[in-house]
């Protein structure tokens, strides 16, 4: 149950508490029992049971001392819920009459009422750990006479990591209580609090009516909703009966709450019934669905291969839900970084650039950087790569930034960059040892066939995809260093683009004097050997004393087993039909190496 | 593309668990924004520990920086309602620590080294602090780029660093490399002070599809179970091989600079179990006498820290569990203590004002 509903419910409970089973008038019963009138006591017990279904004769009535008649005023205070007054009176009486003792019955009921108040108070503040701590014997399902209190205690258990006890308590209610409304409410509590597998066990406890239907049939839609949720959470493998799905779809089609058709849509997407998912997501949007529904729609379109529409949906719904802004960036990023960049309308590119700046997306900025680079617009490419490096200077981004600097013959900044990432990014350092500028990767130096020129002009990219494998450069040519390396540079990346639209505030080449110029790189955990190491150069030990390079780079290390990431990678590896290989983005720049 | 395909699976949970109500519940916990009322202390903190470029300097540790320190700096900037400082610290953090191929931060950065980044591995508490700070900043100032960055990092934590379906519930790995069951003979190895409980209450605002509350519950359960030696305290690093917490091999078996933050985070999250502080208060004894770090083997203090910043930790526990008034001499931070005790001091002042203001009444 959502926390915010607790307040009003508690209020209702406090008002209605005198009518609860725990407050059945047992005075006559107890009097007969305490005075040894067994037959009359038993008759009274039968009378009360008939009057209050679910109530049973408390076993202690046969052993308790009787409540003496002079306790009447105390009972009155008790009945008025004047707990403070009652305790004060008890204290006074105890002082005035040494040896006087409260009757067992009243003492027990007082303790009980105090416990009830404490439980309700904690529940009202959503302090569920305190509720479950106080609950005592409730956990064994021992106490369901006060059913509304039992529900609250069950909620306390469920919300404080004691689900088995919550289950035991709710199951005890179904065993011992007969009121149909209470029983249905118990199932509803269970749906809100327990795993669906537990709820299924409770549902089995339902009684069949004369027509053979379960007493919980009225809750069928709620139960189906729980089962769908379980499927979406990978907690249920068994598919639903077609009739059951049909019933839920009929309900969802006209439901006021668009999240209901949305649920049908998510189920269809989960089960890879894409046309169904598409239809239901659209229906949910039409009924007022929110940005979450739009997100589902976008993912359905993505799986159907309608990337252009994904972009529109994600763009339209980017404001209310960050997920959509991120999806908008990511879906076009894969296009932008393609080895053969597709033609993209100027207004689409402009829109993408605007969102990239708005949310300061390193992913978007490096995507635009590669797109501009592959379209031979190196000044523009540099601007985007610098932004991307300010926001997330990962290896491929710094690599693109270095390439753009080289293209623009901005040697000083290039030297600064390559030296800053010595010891960290081997691919960037490699550039310090590469051949002349004409050998730089990219489509812009290729023999200008008519077709290629046309494609470059329209920013449509080259036809020829460069091979991914770099042919080894002879050692002699590697030794012909073209740039100053190593030189001492500032260790900090000073690029900042704090304001969304302002022009690049490039501050990258700021190299001050160094008190202790550092020319030799050290080992960094998770980084493979530097390219110049094969010439016999050695690196300094790492911060932890490590002397050997990593054998595989951090980004390619195996994922911790049991994480969502690892299991999803497994799933994707199995799905040969995956639209793009897993490392397509990470490898965006690798393809240029030769 | 990896990112795209993966976000689908995670999202199923988002919708069903509680559409929108998750976010509402999280907004019902108090926001961090503006909770550090001592602006003079924050001004001094910035002057002493935050460089012009936004680097938070660990002054007792060779002037290095780490993702955790950047995260603390960002949190305190939000708590002090100082957006320019937040922007400065976050700007440095992303330009210098986000060198990995994903949305996690490299954990350690050392000036005057080539390169300055010392390790490509992450530290999960640093990432949690950064994601939490970005979430608070987005809530405070409505800046969409903070929310996007918070979500990217939170999602990365949720799907890469949480081992699902262990016998103890979801486990938070301290780093991506080197701590999992397959990485070491006593793995998985955990650090209970990396469970930043107040972050778990707020990350659903940006990444509701992950069970942050469940991760927190596992943390609470492990803290209750990790009771070692005569002091009954947890060691900083624990092994969960076989399912039962043990002090981890290869680390000092000590309740030390890491573990002392456990009660801080408990109190910061408003965790309503007074007894959870008992074991820490018992070890620290009467406040004002110094904060003991404890050798788990013999239960004896291995060091006693006397800086005032450290003394705020028992003060906060005593306030949270026994409603004890905040000591007058801890109402503001010292001007001659190092980065770590001063940071803890400002965090504790923020926590007490946010969660237990009655302890500050005169």
């Amino acid at each position: 149950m959502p926390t915010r509903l607790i307040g009003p419910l508690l209020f209702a409970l406090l008002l209605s508490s005198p009518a609860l089973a725990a407050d059945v008038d047992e005075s006559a019963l107890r009097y007969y029992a305490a005075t040894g009138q067994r037959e009359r006591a038993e008759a009274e017990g039968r009378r009360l049971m008939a009057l209050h279904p679910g109530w049973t004769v408390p076993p202690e009535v046969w052993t308790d001392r009787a409540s003496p008649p002079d306790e009447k005023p105390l009972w009155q205070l008790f009945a008025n819920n004047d707990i403070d007054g009652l305790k004060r009176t008890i204290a006074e009486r105890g002082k005035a009459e040494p040896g006087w003792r409260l009757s067992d019955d009243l003492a027990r009921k007082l303790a009980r009422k105090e416990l009830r108040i404490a439980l309700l108070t904690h529940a009202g503040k959503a302090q569920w750990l305190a509720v479950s701590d106080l609950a005592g014997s409730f956990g064994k399902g021992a106490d369901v006479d006060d059913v509304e209190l039992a529900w609250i205690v069950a909620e306390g258990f469920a919300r404080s990591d004691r689900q088995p006890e919550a289950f035991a308590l709710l199951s005890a209610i179904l065993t011992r209580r007969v009121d149909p409304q209470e029983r249905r409410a118990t199932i509803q509590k269970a749906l809100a609090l327990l795993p669906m597998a537990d709820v299924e066990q409770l549902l089995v406890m339902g009684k069949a009516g004369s027509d053979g239907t379960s007493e919980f049939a009225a809750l069928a839609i709620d139960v189906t909703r729980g089962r769908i949720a379980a499927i979406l959470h990978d907690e249920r493998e068994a598919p639903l009966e077609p009739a059951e799905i049909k019933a839920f779809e009929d309900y969802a089609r006209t439901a006021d709450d668009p999240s209901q058709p949305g649920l049908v849509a998510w189920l269809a997407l989960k089960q890879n019934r894409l046309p169904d998912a598409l239809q239901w997501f659209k229906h949910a949007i039409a009924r007022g669905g929110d940005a979450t529904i739009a997100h589902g729609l976008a993912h359905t379109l993505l799986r159907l291969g309608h990337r252009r529409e994904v972009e529109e949906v994600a763009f339209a719904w980017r404001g209310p839900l960050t997920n959509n802004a991120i999806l908008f960036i990511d879906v076009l990023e894969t296009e932008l970084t393609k080895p053969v960049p597709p033609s993209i309308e100027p207004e689409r590119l402009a829109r993408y650039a605007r969102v990239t700046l708005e949310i300061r997306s390193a992913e978007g900025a490096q995507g635009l950087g590669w797109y501009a680079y592959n379209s031979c617009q190196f000044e523009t490419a540099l601007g985007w790569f610098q932004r991307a490096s300010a926001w997330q200077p990962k290896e491929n981004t710094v690599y693109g930034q270095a390439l753009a600097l080289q293209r623009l013959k901005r040697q000083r900044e290039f030297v600064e960059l390559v030296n800053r990432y010595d010891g960290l990014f081997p691919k960037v350092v490699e550039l310090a040892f590469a051949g002349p500028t004409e050998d730089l990767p990219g489509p812009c130096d290729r023999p200008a066939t008519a077709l290629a020129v046309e494609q470059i002009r329209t920013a449509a990219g080259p036809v020829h995809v460069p091979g991914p494998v770099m042919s080894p450069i002879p050692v002699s040519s590697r030794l012909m260093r073209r740039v100053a390396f190593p030189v001492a540079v500032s260790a900090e990346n000073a690029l900042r683009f704090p304001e969304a639209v302002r022009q690049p505030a490039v501050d990258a080449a700021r190299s001050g004097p160094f008190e202790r110029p550092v020319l030799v790189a050290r080992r960094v955990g998770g980084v493979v050997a530097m390219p110049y190491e094969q010439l016999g150069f050695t690196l300094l030990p790492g911060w932890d004393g490590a002397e050997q390079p990593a054998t595989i780079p951090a980004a390619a290390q195996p994922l911790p087993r049991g994480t969502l990431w690892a299991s999803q990678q497994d799933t994707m590896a199995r799905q040969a039909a995956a639209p793009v290989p897993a490392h397509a983005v990470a490898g965006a720049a690798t393809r240029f190496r030769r | 593309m990896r990112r795209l395909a993966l976000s689908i699976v995670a999202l199923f949970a988002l919708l069903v668990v509680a559409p929108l109500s998750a976010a509402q519940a999280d907004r019902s916990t108090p926001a961090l924004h503006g909770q550090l009322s001592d602006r003079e202390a924050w001004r001094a903190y910035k002057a002493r520990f935050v460089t012009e470029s936004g680097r938070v300097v660990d002054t007792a540790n060779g002037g290095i920086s780490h993702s955790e320190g950047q995260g603390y700096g960002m949190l305190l900037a939000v708590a002090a309602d100082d957006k320019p400082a937040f922007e400065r610290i976050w700007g440095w953090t992303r330009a210098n620590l986000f060198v990995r191929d994903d949305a996690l931060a490299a954990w350690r950065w050392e000036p005057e080294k080539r390169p300055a980044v010392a390790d490509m591995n992450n530290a999960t508490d640093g990432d949690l602090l950064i994601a939490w700070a970005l979430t608070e900043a987005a809530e405070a100032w409505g800046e969409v780029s903070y929310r996007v960055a918070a979500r990217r990092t939170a999602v990365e934590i949720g799907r890469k660093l949480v081992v699902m379906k262990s016998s103890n519930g979801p486990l938070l790995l301290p780093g991506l490399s080197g701590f999992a069951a397959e990485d070491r003979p006593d793995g998985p190895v955990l650090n209970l002070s990396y469970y930043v409980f107040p972050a778990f209450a707020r990350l659903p605002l940006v990444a509701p599809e992950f069970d942050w509350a469940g991760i927190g519950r596992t943390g609470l359960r492990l803290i209750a179970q990790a009771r070692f030696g005569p002091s009954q305290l947890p060691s900083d690093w624990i092994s969960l091989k076989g399912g039962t917490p043990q002090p981890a091999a290869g680390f000092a078996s000590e309740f030390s600079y890491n573990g002392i933050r456990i009660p801080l985070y408990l109190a910061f999250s408003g965790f309503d179990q007074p007894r959870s502080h008992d074991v820490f208060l018992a070890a620290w004894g009467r406040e004002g006498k110094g904060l003991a770090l404890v050798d788990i083997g013999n239960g004896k203090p291995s060091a006693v820290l006397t800086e005032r910043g450290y003394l705020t930790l028992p003060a906060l526990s005593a306030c949270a569990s026994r409603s004890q008034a905040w000591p007058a001499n801890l109402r503001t931070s010292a001007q001659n203590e190092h980065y770590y005790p001063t940071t803890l001091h400002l965090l504790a002042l923020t926590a007490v004002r946010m969660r237990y203001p009655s302890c500050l009444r005169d």
Side-chain angles (χ1 to χ4, degrees):
Chain A
M1 178 190 321
T3 318
R4 62 184 183 281
L5 294 183
I6 290 292
L9 175 62
L10 279 189
F11 188 63
L13 274 181
L14 285 166
L15 287 182
S16 67
S17 58
L20 292 175
D23 292 316
V24 170
D25 182 3
E26 296 164 1
S27 52
L29 169 74
R30 288 178 183 278
Y31 176 78
Y32 295 138
T35 50
Q37 306 179 62
R38 185 145 193 128
E39 269 176 36
R40 296 180 80 167
E42 283 171 354
E44 176 66 5
R46 283 192 297 277
R47 190 184 72 85
L48 290 174
M49 277 193 274
L51 210 53
H52 305 281
W55 177 90
T56 51
V57 176
E60 76 277 358
V61 299
W62 307 112
T63 49
D64 275 359
R65 295 178 303 112
S67 173
D70 62 355
E71 255 188 4
K72 258 224 152 64
L74 299 181
W75 281 103
Q76 196 53 51
L77 290 167
F78 178 83
N80 293 342
N81 283 329
D82 183 0
I83 301 301
D84 288 344
L86 175 56
K87 288 172 86 166
R88 204 168 44 242
T89 312
I90 291 170
E92 282 163 8
R93 180 125 182 226
K95 216 177 278 173
E97 299 174 39
W100 176 83
R101 230 179 93 210
L102 196 61
S103 71
D104 293 334
D105 185 25
L106 185 51
R108 195 181 308 109
K109 284 196 165 144
L110 174 59
R112 170 90 195 176
K113 192 165 257 181
E114 285 189 290
L115 175 65
R116 177 175 226 277
I117 290 167
L119 285 168
L120 294 176
T121 307
H122 285 298
K125 297 181 194 163
Q127 295 172 339
W128 301 113
L129 279 162
V131 170
S132 62
D133 272 5
L134 276 177
S137 62
F138 274 96
K140 301 178 191 79
D143 204 337
V144 295
D145 291 343
D146 183 345
V147 71
E148 303 201 44
L149 198 60
W151 285 332
I152 284 199
V153 171
E155 178 158 11
F157 286 139
R159 293 191 189 278
S160 57
D161 215 13
R162 292 167 65 174
Q163 280 182 350
E165 288 156 280
F167 173 78
L169 190 49
L170 295 179
S171 134
I173 295 174
L174 291 182
T175 308
R176 294 173 40 196
R177 311 279 309 177
V178 294
D179 179 75
Q181 270 188 346
E182 283 177 5
R183 295 171 63 81
R184 279 198 297 274
T186 301
I187 293 294
Q188 278 170 321
K189 299 276 171 203
L191 281 165
L193 297 171
L194 294 178
M196 200 57 203
D198 286 356
V199 181
E200 299 285 1
Q201 289 190 52
L202 296 179
L203 287 171
V204 173
M205 298 170 71
K207 297 173 196 135
S210 50
D211 58 351
T213 55
S214 162
E215 61 172 324
F216 301 134
L219 300 173
I221 291 294
D222 294 340
V223 170
T224 305
R225 189 184 297 113
R227 286 174 182 157
I228 293 175
I231 292 173
L232 294 177
H233 282 108
D234 292 320
E235 287 166 4
R236 177 191 167 108
E237 284 179 9
L240 298 180
E241 295 292 329
E244 188 177 355
I245 296 192
K246 170 81 170 49
F248 192 85
E249 286 179 349
D250 289 346
Y251 145 80
R253 196 166 286 119
T254 53
D256 286 334
D257 176 2
S259 74
Q260 299 307 296
L263 204 52
V264 178
W266 285 108
L267 179 66
L269 180 58
K270 172 85 176 174
Q271 296 172 335
N272 218 26
R273 293 181 280 118
L274 298 180
D276 287 350
L278 189 64
Q279 184 210 322
W280 278 100
F281 275 126
K282 284 184 171 170
H283 180 72
I285 294 266
R287 294 193 74 87
D290 62 8
T292 309
I293 302 286
H295 196 65
L297 174 63
H299 274 291
T300 308
L301 291 165
L302 187 65
R303 284 213 211 161
L304 286 165
H306 302 168
R307 300 178 76 89
R308 192 67 184 76
E309 288 176 59
V310 176
E311 208 181 308
E312 294 304 321
V313 172
F315 178 77
W317 291 90
R318 73 191 187 285
L321 189 68
T322 315
N323 308 35
N324 288 323
I326 290 176
L327 181 62
F328 173 74
I329 290 295
D330 290 355
V331 78
L332 196 54
E333 183 214 11
T334 51
E335 304 286 312
L336 292 171
T337 53
K338 274 185 175 158
V340 183
S343 177
I344 297 172
E345 308 91 297
E347 61 275 18
R348 262 174 83 203
L349 275 180
R351 180 174 78 174
Y352 188 79
R354 203 168 73 239
V355 176
T356 292
L357 294 175
E358 205 173 274
I359 67 172
R360 295 192 235 171
S361 166
E363 295 79 3
Q366 61 88 36
L368 288 164
W370 284 115
Y371 193 76
Y373 184 88
N374 287 335
S375 307
C376 316
Q377 300 168 30
F378 303 119
E379 198 73 54
T380 308
L382 179 63
W384 284 115
F385 280 129
Q386 285 174 327
R387 281 186 165 81
S389 285
W391 297 333
Q392 190 184 358
K394 61 180 182 175
E395 184 163 23
N396 280 319
T397 294
V398 175
Y399 178 70
Q401 189 187 352
L403 287 179
L405 285 169
Q406 262 186 312
R407 289 283 187 175
L408 296 167
K409 308 212 179 333
R410 286 161 69 163
Q411 194 70 355
R412 198 171 57 97
E413 291 156 82
F414 173 73
V415 166
E416 164 111 14
L417 195 66
V418 171
N419 278 280
R420 176 170 307 123
Y421 293 103
D422 180 21
L424 197 66
F425 294 154
K427 195 157 77 181
V428 175
V429 171
E430 178 89 44
L431 287 174
F433 302 91
T437 312
E438 294 72 48
D439 289 349
L440 286 176
C444 298
D445 313 310
R446 233 154 283 290
T449 65
L451 180 60
V453 165
E454 176 60 18
Q455 281 176 326
I456 288 166
R457 202 178 56 73
T458 60
V463 272
H464 179 78
V465 182
V469 182
M470 179 180 83
S471 52
I473 299 167
V475 169
S476 59
S477 86
R478 285 173 164 267
L479 285 173
M480 295 190 303
R481 289 198 317 215
R482 302 184 48 81
V483 297
F485 185 92
V487 295
V489 297
S490 159
E492 282 192 22
N493 171 14
L495 283 170
R496 300 288 188 281
F497 295 93
E499 300 302 328
V501 259
R502 200 200 290 159
Q503 283 306 300
V506 185
D507 198 16
R510 191 187 57 190
S511 292
F514 298 97
E515 286 179 17
R516 277 180 288 162
V518 192
L519 295 176
V520 184
R522 47 125 174 218
R523 289 270 172 243
V524 175
V527 175
V528 298
M530 289 296 112
Y532 52 77
E533 287 188 59
Q534 51 180 288
L535 305 178
F537 294 102
T538 320
L539 268 59
L540 297 172
W543 78 278
D544 56 351
E547 294 187 349
Q548 295 304 312
T551 48
I552 40 171
Q557 275 168 10
L559 312 161
R561 264 180 240 148
T563 58
L564 195 57
W565 176 253
S567 60
Q568 287 169 342
Q569 290 288 74
D570 288 350
T571 309
M572 288 184 67
R574 281 197 304 272
Q575 286 172 352
V580 179
H583 286 275
V585 177
T590 314
R591 60 180 171 267
F592 293 127
R593 293 179 60 171
R594 33 170 115 178
Chain B
M1 191 57 212
R2 275 175 300 175
R3 217 177 287 126
L4 288 183
L6 293 170
S7 58
I8 297 180
V9 181
L11 259 165
F12 287 130
L14 154 73
L15 182 98
V16 185
V17 177
L20 300 179
S21 69
Q24 279 162 13
D26 302 308
R27 288 206 172 88
S28 74
T29 67
L32 183 67
H33 183 217
Q35 297 281 4
L36 178 56
S37 52
D38 188 347
R39 299 300 153 87
E40 181 50 34
W42 170 241
R43 199 199 53 73
Y45 184 93
K46 275 194 295 183
R48 295 185 58 219
F49 306 116
V50 185
T51 69
E52 194 68 26
S53 61
R55 184 165 81 84
V56 178
V57 180
D58 185 345
T59 49
N61 207 354
I64 71 161
S65 296
H66 25 67
S67 55
E68 165 204 300
Q70 298 300 123
Y72 285 145
M74 289 161 66
L75 283 168
L76 291 173
V78 181
D81 188 24
D82 187 347
K83 193 179 176 198
F86 181 89
E87 184 55 44
R88 193 147 57 98
I89 301 170
W90 167 229
W92 187 91
T93 307
R94 64 191 313 195
N96 288 281
L97 297 185
F98 279 77
V99 292
R100 294 168 50 86
D101 200 35
D102 56 19
L104 303 172
W107 75 275
R108 185 181 171 96
W109 197 96
E110 301 169 329
E112 296 177 26
K113 287 280 161 55
R114 183 184 176 102
V117 168
D119 193 345
M120 285 300 251
N121 207 4
N122 75 306
T124 304
D125 67 332
D127 294 313
L128 276 171
L129 293 166
I130 290 168
W132 173 29
L134 284 164
T135 305
E136 297 287 357
E139 290 288 301
W141 299 309
E143 165 67 50
V144 65
S145 76
Y146 297 156
R147 192 175 299 278
V148 168
R151 173 167 173 83
R152 291 243 192 224
T153 297
V155 167
E156 214 77 287
I157 296 168
R159 70 183 181 208
K160 284 186 167 179
L161 291 157
V162 179
V163 176
M164 316 296 286
K165 294 178 182 165
S166 88
S167 60
N168 287 288
L171 301 179
L172 189 67
L173 292 175
L176 200 52
S177 171
F179 299 97
E182 63 271 20
D183 287 341
R184 27 184 314 138
D186 62 341
V189 162
L190 267 56
N191 186 317
L192 294 176
S193 76
Y194 283 26
Y195 281 83
V196 185
F197 295 108
F200 298 146
R202 300 286 277 176
L203 289 179
L205 288 170
V206 294
E209 64 269 56
F210 293 98
D211 182 14
W212 302 107
I215 296 168
R217 281 196 301 273
T218 302
L220 292 174
R221 206 174 325 119
L222 291 174
I223 288 167
Q225 286 172 19
R227 298 264 185 261
F228 308 136
S231 66
Q232 292 294 287
L233 284 163
S235 53
D236 277 6
W237 297 90
I238 64 165
S239 157
L240 269 185
K241 189 179 175 67
T244 311
Q246 297 295 328
F251 295 91
S253 183
E254 220 185 331
F255 170 72
S256 188
Y257 290 97
N258 277 299
I260 57 176
R261 295 175 301 179
I262 294 173
L264 167 69
Y265 292 149
L266 289 176
F268 215 139
S269 71
F271 181 53
D272 63 345
Q273 291 292 283
R275 285 178 328 222
S276 63
H277 291 274
D278 287 357
V279 63
F280 304 104
L281 283 171
W284 290 334
R286 285 188 302 126
E287 62 184 84
K289 296 189 71 180
L291 184 96
L293 308 181
V294 178
D295 182 317
I296 294 297
N298 61 20
K300 298 219 163 72
S302 53
V304 176
L305 311 177
T306 52
E307 286 97 327
R308 274 162 52 194
Y310 292 118
L311 300 184
T312 57
L313 300 179
L316 182 61
S317 282
C319 156
S321 66
R322 296 163 193 178
S323 305
Q324 217 154 303
W326 195 255
N329 67 332
L330 299 181
R331 294 216 166 202
T332 191
S333 56
Q335 293 310 306
N336 56 354
E337 294 177 1
H338 275 303
Y339 148 82
Y340 192 48
T342 311
T343 302
L344 294 175
H345 200 139
L346 295 196
L347 289 170
L349 283 174
T350 306
V352 71
R353 176 139 191 273
M354 194 165 139
R355 292 293 186 176
Y356 312 97
S358 60
C359 294
L360 290 171
R361 260 185 237 134
D362 291 318

